[in-house]
Structures are given as C-alpha cells and as structure tokens.
Amino acid sequence: MTAIKPTPYAALAQAKTSANALRYPHPPEKKPVAANETAFIWGDPHIAGADGDRFDVNKVGKFNLLEDKGVKFNADFRKFTDKSAATIIRATDLEVDGKKIKIDVNAKVTIDGKELQSNTYKAWGGDNQISKLRNGNVLIDTGEYTILVASEGSAKNKFLNASVSSGKHGVSADGVAPKGLLGETFDADAVKQTKPKKNLESYQVGVKPAAPKPSTPKPTTPTTPKPTTPKPTTPKPSTPKPATPDIKSWFDQFVALLKQLFGNFGK
C-alpha cells in the first residue's frame, strides 16, 4: 500500500508543531505520592500506617494525628479504665479550612460550637464537607483526605477509632508533606516503621519537646609532675696509667753513672 504524502501545508504545520514542542516542552507529570492509601488508628491504640508501618502509642495526652495544608486532626488519649494502663481515644478535634470540629466518644459532632444532627451533612469552602451517618460514624472530606471517625465499645467503655485516606492525587500535590502520627506514614518509602519517626513528645499538642541538654565538659584536673630525685652517680675509680720513661734521659743518666765509676774512658 502506497503511503500518502503530506501536502506542503500539512508538512509545514507538522514542522511548526515539532518546533513548538521543542521550544515549549511540557513538564513531565509528577507521580502522586502515597495516592489512594489509608492509615488506621484503633483500640489501645494501635497504628497501621499508610505504607505498612505498625506501632502502638500507649501514653496519655492530646496527640496530633494529621497536619497538612488547611487541615489538623488531633486525638485525646485517655486511660481505658482507672486501673488499666492501656489508653484509648476519648475525643478528637479537627480544624478544616477554618472550621473547628469536635467529636466526642459518643460521636456527638459540633462545628464551631453548633451540633450536627445524625444523617445530615454540611459543606463549605469548595471540597470540604462533613457527614454524620445513621450508624454514628462521622465522615470528613477535605478534598485531599477522607477522615473517618467511629464510636466503638460498650455503653460504659466507649472509645473512638479513626482512619485517614489519601485520594488519587496523593498527599504532596499542594507542595506540603503531611505531619503527625498518621500523616508521616504517607511517605511512600520502603521502610516499615515499628515506632514513630520522632519522640512522642514531638506529636503532643501543647507540649514543647524537651530541648537536648547541653553537654558540660568535665573539668580536667591538671596533672602535677612528680619530682624526680636524681640518682647519685658514683664516680668510677680511675687507675693512673704508669708514666712512660723517657729513653734518652734514662740513657744519659746511665752514661753519667758509668763515668763516675770508671772515669772518663773516652779520653
């Protein structure tokens, strides 16, 4: 089959398109970070992170679960019973696009102090909305995250479980990486954490992390040199060398002695 040759106009248009593609290249699309992932917190409390991290948090206080652009999600950890060492979530509070939301252990929801009735929802600021379902579960949609808070347990010992899910655009499309005990597990790494990435105090709301103690150098004791007692040196006795006799002087003395004894035999 014979290929159809492009007309001069078509060839010119194709050349312009190729030239524009070279002059104005499209930026490569960024792969979403941790898209369509979910992190859970439940029970006393156990955490299953978005990327497979698993650890427990057994401490009393208010802790940050998620913090990102336009959203904060905190949980109040309290003892399960007075005699129990285990802790559970008794209440949560959120701030979404300026709205303050509180959810207690009975799934009572208030928005800026006004109660939200069951089987109703409220929307504000674009994608933000909150729904209270018939079963008592509360669903908050921020556009970037979907947060579910559920009331569990018996009538006397109720507690809250929660989950945070990311959407198809991931968690960094707005240029801000999430923080918090759950938020930091949306890091798309291959490391399965068995404990929080930082000290627990770093996630506690209203508590400043303890500053590292400055290391005080230990004073060094100057070393006093020990006095050295010089050892007495005993001079070695020097044996005087016998004087070497003068041969010529000895011979003259011997000749003089012979002259005295025998007279002048040379005359």
Side-chain angles (χ1 to χ4, degrees):
M1 184 176 181
T2 305
I4 300 174
K5 295 183 179 181
T7 63
Y9 299 104
L12 180 61
Q14 185 177 2
K16 286 185 177 180
T17 302
S18 301
N20 288 334
L22 293 174
R23 291 176 61 191
Y24 310 108
H26 292 285
E29 293 185 2
K30 293 183 179 180
K31 185 179 179 180
V33 177
N36 300 315
E37 294 186 356
T38 301
F40 300 90
I41 181 167
W42 77 97
D44 57 339
H46 311 290
I47 289 179
D51 291 337
D53 306 342
R54 291 187 178 273
F55 52 87
D56 298 338
V57 179
N58 195 357
K59 194 172 182 180
V60 173
K62 181 181 285 191
F63 290 86
N64 177 250
L65 300 182
L66 172 68
E67 183 175 350
D68 204 339
K69 188 176 181 179
V71 57
K72 288 183 182 180
F73 181 27
N74 301 323
D76 194 10
F77 295 175
R78 293 291 174 226
K79 286 187 176 181
F80 186 53
T81 62
D82 293 338
K83 296 181 180 180
S84 174
T87 58
I88 46 98
I89 299 177
R90 289 289 190 192
T92 64
D93 62 81
L94 301 93
E95 186 173 340
V96 180
D97 199 21
K99 295 287 186 181
K100 294 183 178 180
I101 304 168
K102 293 184 180 294
I103 306 171
D104 70 8
V105 73
N106 296 308
K108 178 182 177 181
V109 181
T110 59
I111 305 173
D112 292 338
K114 296 181 180 180
E115 186 175 353
L116 181 69
Q117 300 300 321
S118 295
N119 200 30
T120 59
Y121 80 97
K122 182 177 179 63
W124 71 97
D127 295 329
N128 302 305
Q129 64 178 22
I130 180 171
S131 304
K132 184 175 181 181
L133 309 179
R134 288 183 183 275
N135 58 5
N137 294 346
V138 182
L139 195 66
I140 302 104
D141 190 352
T142 71
E144 188 175 12
Y145 298 98
T146 300
I147 300 171
L148 176 66
V149 180
S151 179
E152 305 285 352
S154 63
K156 291 184 179 180
N157 293 312
K158 286 190 174 183
F159 56 92
L160 295 175
N161 294 334
S163 67
V164 176
S165 301
S166 62
K168 64 180 181 179
H169 299 296
V171 298
S172 296
D174 56 3
V176 180
K179 301 177 183 178
L181 285 168
L182 297 183
E184 288 184 355
T185 67
F186 290 87
D187 52 9
D189 63 2
V191 180
K192 309 302 181 185
Q193 300 285 344
T194 57
K195 61 181 180 179
K197 289 189 175 183
K198 296 179 290 190
N199 189 298
L200 271 178
E201 290 181 352
S202 302
Y203 305 95
Q204 199 163 359
V205 179
V207 176
K208 293 183 178 180
K213 295 181 180 179
S215 58
T216 305
K218 294 182 179 180
T220 56
T221 306
T223 56
T224 305
K226 295 181 180 180
T228 56
T229 305
K231 293 182 180 180
T233 56
T234 306
K236 293 182 180 180
S238 57
T239 304
K241 294 181 180 181
T244 304
D246 188 352
I247 301 298
K248 185 177 184 300
S249 176
W250 178 82
F251 181 75
D252 290 344
Q253 291 178 9
F254 179 70
V255 171
L257 180 62
L258 289 178
K259 284 181 179 182
Q260 291 178 3
L261 294 174
F262 301 103
N264 191 358
F265 60 88
K267 293 182 180 178

